[in-house]
Amino acid sequence: LHAIRHPVLTLQVRRTDKQGEDPFWNLYGGYRHLGTYVQAMEDVAAATGKCFRTVLLMSDAKHAVLAFRRMHHRGEVKICGQVPTLVFSRGVADDREHNIPVFGNALGGRGGVKKSA
């Protein structure tokens, strides 16, 4: 968290639970390209006059997080011409995505999740 610089923009990329109710999915048979989100971030920066220095990426889909990280690494994610700091959940980006319930992740380290013997 020491890398977070203000102002912060929170970006939520919903995937796995939105297929049936997402109008874009229903019309086009797929999700919005991540570049659409990047353009939306630029639009918000222009509309608010804020050059966001950190993007907090929230997603339920490992593939979306990994793809966005690759775009960021290539310099394709820019706000006001600058590459912002990218913050995301490591629990989603690693191989634990479907192995542990989200609530179990939240309790991890607090003694709330016990391994069975």
Side-chain angles (χ1 to χ4, degrees):
L1 295 176
H2 65 281
I4 293 177
R5 301 174 299 156
H6 292 275
V8 177
L9 180 133
T10 302
L11 178 64
Q12 183 175 18
V13 179
R14 300 277 299 268
R15 298 284 189 198
T16 60
D17 64 339
K18 299 313 276 178
Q19 287 182 10
E21 62 189 74
D22 181 7
F24 189 90
W25 175 276
N26 291 331
L27 284 173
Y28 302 106
Y31 295 111
R32 289 163 187 83
H33 187 274
L34 290 175
T36 304
Y37 291 91
V38 174
Q39 183 58 54
M41 293 188 310
E42 279 284 352
D43 294 347
V44 169
T48 62
K50 293 185 179 182
C51 291
F52 298 97
R53 297 177 65 198
T54 300
V55 173
L56 173 58
L57 175 62
M58 299 182 344
S59 183
D60 60 345
K62 177 180 180 174
H63 64 276
V65 172
L66 295 178
F68 201 85
R69 285 178 62 195
R70 285 190 297 274
M71 290 174 65
H72 181 265
H73 180 73
R74 291 188 303 257
E76 297 171 9
V77 177
K78 291 185 178 179
I79 300 175
C80 300
Q82 300 294 316
V83 176
T85 299
L86 180 62
V87 179
F88 56 91
S89 169
R90 185 173 178 177
V92 172
D94 68 16
D95 289 335
R96 298 180 314 143
E97 179 179 11
H98 298 290
N99 294 339
I100 301 174
V102 172
F103 186 69
N105 278 342
L107 295 176
R110 297 185 193 168
V113 177
K114 306 247 189 250
K115 292 184 178 181
S116 57

